[in-house]
Structure formats: structure tokens, C-alpha cells
């Protein structure tokens, strides 16, 4: 493969360089494995295969020449809808189970069962307590921690009403969910019910299945993910604006390099603390290293970036390429989006891979299990392993590409409202005046089916040109950050209205608001704006996009956005085209039901046009200029 071919795979120079090095070093990457899988199964791509029972597996012939029903009699529409339902359930489960770990942590803090974790934002804990109807004034934070966690634990079980934080959604939206029978009850309950419904012989009606999928997704967006975001802020601090750096250039040739990968700050925050331990710094120096350098990958990287300003080495598709630098001594993971192939790539170098969660073991990795009682000690053990691995590093195999790009981060809703003087009014005024025509959340992943980082960053550039403010989470943060879009100077690339607003506030036109679970910050902000205008979320000039999505979590995010009234564009076709009923409902039928739909458009420029047209329509309906 020539250098030119590498530029077909990724727009990033650091990525291209490491792809070339991987080739020289004989290392197989995600792109090689994807090629080996091609052509992908056409039945699966259309959503027309089912293996839900042992009478199958079954598949439906999309051309009508072969079987049109599975052994049980399910047709294409039922099979596709059931597959979508299970996909949403898996995505919602991932986010929500992550949230549950934070409730467990808060509870342990309250019960005095952990000395390793504490409460960094007691004020936010108090605010959440009051919101849940728990009197906070004058109460000891530990007692509050217990009361709040017990209330949130209930969200996971067999609740018969609605989750604790659902009251944040506008009343009109909640009324609509109630009318449709999709108000989420318990998080676990909705997920379990979806697994039940999709068992052979239960729910065999595509519309009914999709409505329940929406209910599952809402239990993610307005409960599981919300819990993860809010409690991470309480325990580790609510993010505030700060500047950091991004790309593989954040690795340091003369230091012990540790990468954190996964999603939950429970592990990565402890690793950060251990990298500052004087005894460990001394041990690193004794091995000849100038220091201990910590950087992030994927969403746990986003968590550390938002709160602590720890630099980002890369996103999903950069995780293997980071190891190819030969400079990573240890990669420590928790869960989600960690490719099993990472262990094989690490085996080609001196890099140690440590798993930490009882839920996520990897063959070939070393397992150092973190608990709420031993986390600090285990983090030190992990950093000691990194220092030892540094001693085994082969300098001749080290190549760290490029120099880091600066990026601004830390835009929690509290920080955004703070920058606006504590009220959304200035943002609403800018929207009404047409300076900011609307806002779009670009969320999610990379996918080797899409040129790495191209669609995420190109869409952001195209939108800001049109005076549309962009909010990014997850791996799209790195895509846009590497292009310089997360710095205030990027205002020069924005249209005149947005440029003026950004300059006045000293903010970038693309705001980093967090990790995948932090998409809850975006829907919360939508709710605040809708309430301030006295309208529903579906009336706002807003949209969402997942140009390079790959994960089941992204499907859940997309569906809770749509069910909350936000038009959402996907850059990768989901496996639904085998059913005209399911595809039709998702891309048009839902408009009349929840006031928003999905659209699919791989070209980021055409995607921007679709979004722009939507924003125009919404602005005109609000009586504003287009
Ligand atoms: Fe086949 Fe029906 Fe079993 Fe699916 S549930 S594998 S369609 S028999
Ligand atoms: S890590 S879900 S690849 S954003 Fe959250 Fe990135 Fe997508 Fe994973």
C-alpha cells in the first residue's frame, strides 16, 4: 500500500505516518482487518438476518427470490425491527451500566466505604439533591451522597413511574412521551423488556418494537447517561474551560508514557493521581525517564480532558496507531470501544495492556482489578508496571509523529451558562438576531468504513461557516480538535455572526462538551433553551449528527435525540434498509409522532445542507429570519 493509499484512510498526518510504520513493522490494524472482512454480508447489512433462536439462523431474501419469512414466520419488517431494538438495548445498557458504577461510587463515599474517592463538587450534589426533593441545606455531603445515590439506584430497578431527572425535559415533551406510552420507567426495566419483546414469539409488530426502542433510548439519554455525567461532575469536579493539546505528538520520547482508554473516570482519575506520586516519579527517574506522561484515548480521555486538561493522544481509530509509535509503555483500560486487536498490536511492541474492570477481561492482557476500596493502590501498581515497561522500550522502534495541536475544552453547561453571565438569555438573543442561526451536536465515533476524521471535521467546518454553533462529544472531539477547530482562533473560519459572538466571549465556534455519556449535557441545554422560549425541543433550530458512527451506543444516542425532538443525521447507513416499514418510520414517519426523524447522508457537505435546511425551517416557524 502506498503513502497515497494511507491518505485515503485518514486525513490525519499522524495517522498516515503511523499506518506507514505499522506496514514496515508488520503490524495488522483495524483497516487491514476490515479489508479482510469485505465484502460484508449483504443480509446483515440490510438487517435481514436473525439468530434469535435455534430454529434459525434465518435470513430474508431482499430480491424476493428466496425465503421471505424466517422459520418462526417472522418477516423482514419484524426481523429488522427486532435487530434495531436489541442494538438500542445494548447501547443503552453500556451507557447506563457505566452510570450505575458512578452511583455505586457515590454510595460508597456516603457510606464511608471508600477512602479513595470523595466529593469535589458538593454544590452540584446539593443542587441535584434539591431537584430530587431531598433537603440539602446544612446537610453533611456524605449523608447527601447516600440519599442521592439511593434515589438514583431506584432509577435502575423496577420503577413504575419515571426516572429522577426526567423533570428536566420540557413539559410539552413529557406530555408527548406520556401520550405515546414511551415515558421511560426503570432503566434496567426498559432494557430487559426489549430483550423480552425480541425473544421469539413476543412482540411481532415493527411499530410497537420501535416505540419501545425509543423508550429504551430515552431511559439512556434522560437517565443512565444523565446519571453518569452528573455524578462524574459531583465526584471528580464539574468541568471549566481550559486549554490542552491533541494528537500523537502529546507522547513524550523521554518520559514514561501511559495511555488511559475506555469510558469511566473512576479508573483514569486514579491513574492521574498515581502519576503525580513523588515516589513513583522518583522510580521513573531512576529508570532514566524524565517524568511520567499521561494522555487519553476515546471517552475516558475526554473525561480527563474536560475536567483535568489531560491531553488527548487520539480517538477510536488512533488507539492501535498510538501503540505503533513504540513509545507507549502502558495502556490501561476500563470498558467500551477498546478493540480486542489492541492486545495483538501491543504484543508487537513492549507495550503492556492492563484491564481493570471485572466486566471487561481481554485475552492476552494483564488484569489488575480496581475496586472502590483498592483503586489508589492498584493505580500505583499499574504506574509501577509502566515504569518497568519503559525499561524495556526499544528506542530504535520509537517514532512520535508531529507536534501537538492546542484545543480548548471544559464546556459543561454550568461553564457555558457561566460564560453567558448565568442565563441562557444572551445565547437566545444571538439566536433570535440570527448571529447564531442554530446549534448542532456532532457526536460519536470513527468507523473504518469512513475516511478517518474527514466527515466529523468537514461537517463542523461547513456548519460554523453557516453561523451554526457546533458542540462536540466523544471521538468527534479529537477529529475537530486536530483541525484546530476547538480554539478561539477558529472563529475566523466561522460566518460573520458566529465569529462576532465567539470573539466577544473568547470561545471557539466548536465547543467540547464531553464524552459519549455527556450528550446528556446537550439535550439538557436544549431543554433549557426550549423552556426559556416556551416551546418544545422539536421547535428549536437544532440538530445532531453522527458522521462516523460505529457503536451500538451511537444508535441509542441517535434515537434518544430523535425521540427528544432533535433531527439527527447519520453518516453510516444503519442496517435497516431490508424493511421499508422500519426505514420509512425512522426517516419520515417519526416526524409526525415525535417531531423529528433520522436522515442518512455520508457526504458531510450534503449533510450540512440537510441540517441547514432544517434549521431554516425551524427558525421561520419561530418567526425568526432564516
Ligand atoms: Fe429464525 Fe425466527 Fe429463530 Fe429468528 S427467531 S432465528 S427468524 S426462527
Ligand atoms: S469512545 S462510542 S468510539 S465516540 Fe465513547 Fe468514541 Fe464512539 Fe466509542
Amino acid at each position: 500500500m502506498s503513502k497515497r493509499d494511507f491518505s485515503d484512510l485518514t486525513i490525519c498526518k499522524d495517522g498516515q505516518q503511523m499506518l506507514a510504520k505499522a506496514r514496515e513493522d508488520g503490524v495488522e490494524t483495524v483497516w487491514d482487518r476490515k479489508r479482510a472482512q469485505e465484502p460484508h454480508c449483504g443480509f446483515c447489512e440490510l438487517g435481514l438476518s436473525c439468530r434469535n433462536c435455534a430454529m434459525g439462523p434465518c435470513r430474508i431474501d431482499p430480491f424476493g427470490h428466496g425465503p421471505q419469512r424466517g422459520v418462526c414466520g417472522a418477516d423482514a419488517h419484524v426481523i429488522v425491527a427486532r435487530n434495531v431494538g436489541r442494538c438500542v438495548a445494548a447501547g443503552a445498557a453500556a451507557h447506563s451500566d457505566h452510570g450505575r458504577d458512578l452511583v455505586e461510587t457515590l454510595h460508597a463515599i456516603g457510606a464511608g466505604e471508600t477512602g479513595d474517592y470523595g466529593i469535589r463538587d458538593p454544590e452540584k450534589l446539593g443542587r441535584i439533591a434539591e431537584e430530587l426533593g431531598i433537603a440539602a441545606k446544612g446537610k453533611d455531603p456524605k449523608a447527601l451522597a447516600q440519599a442521592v445515590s439511593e434515589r438514583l439506584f431506584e432509577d435502575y430497578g423496577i420503577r413504575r413511574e419515571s426516572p429522577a431527572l426526567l423533570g428536566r425535559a420540557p413539559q410539552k415533551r413529557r406530555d408527548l412521551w406520556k401520550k405515546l406510552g414511551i415515558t421511560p420507567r426503570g432503566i434496567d426495566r426498559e432494557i430487559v423488556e426489549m430483550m423480552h419483546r425480541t425473544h421469539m414469539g413476543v412482540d411481532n409488530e415493527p411499530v410497537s418494537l420501535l416505540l419501545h426502542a425509543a423508550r429504551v433510548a430515552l431511559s439512556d439519554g434522560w437517565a443512565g447517561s444523565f446519571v453518569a455525567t452528573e455524578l462524574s461532575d459531583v465526584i471528580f469536579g464539574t468541568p471549566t474551560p481550559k486549554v490542552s493539546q491533541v494528537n500523537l505528538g502529546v507522547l513524550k520520547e523521554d518520559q514514561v508514557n501511559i495511555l488511559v482508554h475506555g469510558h469511566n473516570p473512576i479508573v483514569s482519575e486514579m491513574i492521574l493521581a498515581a502519576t503525580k506520586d513523588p515516589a513513583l516519579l522518583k522510580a521513573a527517574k531512576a529508570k532514566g525517564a524524565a517524568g511520567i506522561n499521561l494522555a487519553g484515548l476515546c471517552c475516558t480521555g475526554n473525561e480527563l480532558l474536560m475536567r483535568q486538561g489531560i491531553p488527548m493522544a487520539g480517538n477510536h481509530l488512533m488507539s492501535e496507531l498510538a501503540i505503533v509509535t513504540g513509545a507507549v509503555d502502558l495502556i490501561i483500560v476500563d470498558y467500551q470501544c477498546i478493540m480486542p486487536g489492541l492486545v495483538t498490536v501491543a504484543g508487537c511492541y513492549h507495550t503492556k495492556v492492563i484491564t481493570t474492570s471485572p466486566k471487561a477481561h481481554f485475552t492476552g492482557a494483564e488484569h489488575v482489578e480496581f475496586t472502590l476500596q483498592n483503586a489508589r493502590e492498584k493505580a500505583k501498581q499499574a504506574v509501577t508496571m509502566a515504569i518497568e515497561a519503559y525499561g524495556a522500550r526499544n528506542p530504535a522502534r520509537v517514532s512520535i509523529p508531529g507536534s501537538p495541536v492546542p484545543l480548548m475544552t471544559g464546556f459543561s453547561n454550568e461553564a457555558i451558562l457561566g460564560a453567558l453571565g448565568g442565563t441562557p438569555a444572551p445565547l437566545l438573543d444571538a439566536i433570535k438576531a440570527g448571529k447564531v442561526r442554530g446549534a448542532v451536536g456532532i457526536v460519536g465515533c470513527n468507523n473504518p468504513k469512513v475516511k478517518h476524521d474527514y466527515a466529523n471535521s468537514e461537517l463542523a467546518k461547513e456548519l460554523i461557516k453557516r453561523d451554526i454553533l457546533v458542540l462536540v462529544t466523544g471521538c468527534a472531539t479529537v477529529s475537530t480538535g486536530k483541525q484546530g477547530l476547538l480554539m478561539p482562533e477558529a472563529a475566523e473560519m466561522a460566518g460573520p455572526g458566529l465569529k462576532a459572538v465567539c470573539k466577544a466571549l473568547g470561545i471557539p465556534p466548536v465547543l467540547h462538551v464531553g464524552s459519549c455519556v455527556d450528550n446528556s449535557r446537550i439535550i439538557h441545554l436544549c431543554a433549557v433553551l426550549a423552556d426559556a422560549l416556551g416551546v418544545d425541543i422539536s421547535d428549536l433550530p437544532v440538530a445532531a449528527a453522527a458522521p462516523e458512527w460505529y457503536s451500538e451506543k451511537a444508535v441509542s444516542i441517535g434515537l434518544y435525540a430523535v425521540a427528544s425532538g432533535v433531527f439527527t443525521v447519520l453518516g453510516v447507513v444503519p442496517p435497516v434498509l431490508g424493511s421499508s416499514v422500519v426505514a420509512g418510520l425512522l426517516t419520515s414517519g417519526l416526524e409526525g409522532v415525535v417531531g423529528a426523524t433520522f436522515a442518512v447522508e455520508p457526504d458531510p457537505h450534503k449533510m450540512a445542507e440537510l441540517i441547514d435546511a432544517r434549521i431554516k425551517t425551524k427558525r421561520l416557524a419561530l418567526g425568526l429570519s432564516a
Side-chain angles (χ1 to χ4, degrees):
M1 183 176 266
S2 71
K3 277 208 170 134
R4 203 171 152 268
D5 294 324
F6 296 136
S7 64
D8 284 343
L9 304 184
T10 173
I11 61 165
C12 302
K13 292 277 176 273
D14 59 347
Q16 291 166 14
Q17 271 175 259
M18 286 306 101
L19 277 166
K21 184 169 187 289
R23 180 54 47 93
E24 277 164 33
D25 292 355
V27 176
E28 185 186 76
T29 68
V30 58
W31 285 277
D32 300 312
R33 296 191 297 272
K34 182 214 152 220
R35 222 174 3 255
Q37 284 291 336
E38 285 168 345
H40 287 285
C41 168
F43 295 100
C44 291
E45 281 189 323
L46 295 173
L48 286 174
S49 50
C50 178
R51 52 175 175 73
N52 286 11
C53 89
M55 293 192 286
C58 304
R59 44 194 203 176
I60 305 298
D61 186 334
F63 304 110
H65 305 314
Q68 293 301 296
R69 289 188 181 269
V71 177
C72 66
D75 65 10
H77 309 298
V78 169
I79 289 177
V80 171
R82 283 196 308 216
N83 289 340
V84 170
R86 286 201 167 194
C87 177
V88 172
H95 283 149
S96 303
D97 203 37
H98 164 169
R100 185 198 326 263
D101 284 340
L102 287 146
V103 188
E104 300 269 16
T105 308
L106 188 68
H107 192 265
I109 294 168
E113 290 166 1
T114 174
D116 291 354
Y117 297 91
I119 294 162
R120 291 205 193 136
D121 192 343
E123 221 176 273
K124 182 154 187 174
L125 176 62
R127 283 203 308 275
I128 295 172
E130 294 283 354
E131 192 177 344
L132 304 186
I134 301 163
K137 212 168 173 210
K139 233 189 212 165
D140 168 46
K142 280 195 168 184
L144 266 192
Q146 246 185 316
V148 167
S149 56
E150 270 157 24
R151 177 71 181 78
L152 293 176
F153 270 136
E154 289 176 16
D155 275 7
Y156 284 84
I158 185 153
R159 286 193 69 79
R160 302 184 63 207
E161 298 150 18
S162 57
L165 300 171
L166 200 77
R168 291 180 178 187
Q171 187 63 51
K172 280 187 186 168
R173 189 61 19 192
R174 280 181 280 145
D175 292 344
L176 177 66
W177 292 334
K178 197 168 173 192
K179 196 173 108 202
L180 294 170
I182 59 170
T183 303
R185 298 157 295 179
I187 300 162
D188 293 352
R189 177 178 185 161
E190 305 308 355
I191 294 166
V192 167
E193 187 172 314
M194 180 54 86
M195 297 312 284
H196 178 192
R197 282 177 184 238
T198 52
H199 185 280
M200 203 298 282
V202 184
D203 196 353
N204 287 298
E205 209 279 309
V207 175
S208 164
L209 281 160
L210 289 178
L211 280 175
H212 188 67
R215 196 175 204 178
V216 175
L218 288 170
S219 81
D220 171 0
W222 292 91
S225 283
F226 237 138
V227 165
T229 296
E230 297 297 83
L231 296 195
S232 294
D233 284 357
V234 167
I235 298 168
F236 302 111
T238 302
T240 52
K242 51 185 77 65
V243 173
S244 185
Q245 294 181 319
V246 62
N247 80 23
L248 289 182
V250 303
L251 295 171
K252 300 209 165 95
E253 205 158 341
D254 59 347
Q255 297 200 21
V256 175
N257 287 307
I258 300 176
L259 291 181
V260 284
H261 184 6
H263 281 76
N264 203 321
I266 292 174
V267 170
S268 49
E269 283 275 354
M270 280 297 139
I271 297 292
L272 171 61
T275 58
K276 293 178 178 163
D277 184 288
L280 291 171
L281 285 165
K282 205 170 151 198
K285 291 210 168 123
K287 280 271 183 201
I292 303 173
N293 179 41
L294 182 67
L297 289 169
C298 287
C299 279
T300 207
N302 274 302
E303 299 272 349
L304 281 188
L305 174 67
M306 280 282 282
R307 295 193 180 85
Q308 319 298 351
I310 296 300
M312 283 292 268
N315 49 11
H316 178 50
L317 287 187
M318 290 303 291
S319 58
E320 292 178 325
L321 298 182
I323 297 174
V324 174
T325 61
V328 176
D329 303 299
L330 177 86
I331 177 157
I332 183 156
V333 308
D334 49 79
Y335 41 55
Q336 298 168 22
C337 302
I338 302 142
M339 289 188 275
L342 212 65
V343 181
T344 316
V345 176
C348 301
Y349 300 91
H350 73 295
T351 310
K352 273 218 159 300
V353 182
I354 293 183
T355 52
T356 56
S357 166
K359 297 170 195 174
H361 292 260
F362 284 59
T363 305
E366 195 153 332
H367 191 68
V368 176
E369 196 154 308
F370 277 51
T371 67
L372 295 175
Q373 287 72 37
N374 72 11
R376 203 167 285 275
E377 180 210 326
K378 292 293 168 187
K380 286 185 191 170
Q381 186 185 328
V383 173
T384 306
M385 289 162 79
I387 295 167
E388 273 160 27
Y390 173 81
R393 195 194 286 177
N394 179 355
R397 296 190 77 198
V398 172
S399 170
I400 299 174
S403 46
V405 175
L407 90 177
M408 200 178 216
T409 175
F411 290 99
S412 58
N413 288 353
E414 288 85 343
I416 292 175
L417 291 177
L420 296 171
T423 139
L427 180 56
L428 285 173
D429 290 344
I431 291 173
K432 286 179 193 163
K435 286 186 172 173
V436 176
R437 294 180 50 241
V440 171
I442 303 184
V443 308
C445 326
N446 307 128
N447 185 325
K449 291 178 175 173
V450 178
K451 190 195 279 193
H452 171 237
D453 282 356
Y454 171 72
N456 284 342
S457 51
E458 211 54 28
L459 176 63
K461 284 182 200 164
E462 202 51 54
L463 291 174
I464 63 172
K465 256 193 237 165
R466 298 163 188 246
D467 286 327
I468 297 168
L469 179 71
V470 172
L471 311 175
V472 282
T473 58
C475 289
T477 307
V478 171
S479 313
T480 48
K482 281 165 94 167
Q483 303 301 312
L485 296 168
L486 299 191
M487 287 301 282
E489 293 73 28
E492 296 300 334
M493 297 162 78
L498 181 58
K499 180 173 161 178
V501 171
C502 290
K503 289 207 156 180
L505 295 171
I507 58 168
V510 181
L511 300 178
H512 177 215
V513 305
S515 63
C516 313
V517 293
D518 292 338
N519 288 311
S520 58
R521 294 192 205 274
I522 301 182
I523 49 167
H524 191 195
L525 193 60
C526 287
V528 170
L529 294 179
D531 282 343
L533 283 172
V535 298
D536 194 357
I537 294 176
S538 53
D539 300 319
L540 295 174
V542 299
E548 302 181 30
W549 75 276
Y550 92 89
S551 145
E552 289 162 315
K553 291 179 289 172
V555 182
S556 179
I557 295 168
L559 191 52
Y560 76 63
V562 167
S564 300
V566 180
F567 173 65
T568 298
V569 192
L570 304 175
V572 177
V573 185
V576 299
L577 297 185
S579 163
S580 53
V581 171
V582 174
L585 195 63
L586 294 176
T587 55
S588 67
L590 280 177
E591 185 73 51
V593 183
V594 292
T597 60
F598 283 99
V600 180
E601 175 51 66
D603 179 329
H605 299 100
K606 290 185 186 155
M607 202 181 265
E609 273 164 32
L610 282 177
I611 291 171
D612 195 335
R614 178 77 176 188
I615 283 176
K616 255 184 208 153
T617 310
K618 294 294 167 184
R619 287 185 61 83
L620 291 173
L622 285 170
L624 306 173
S625 63

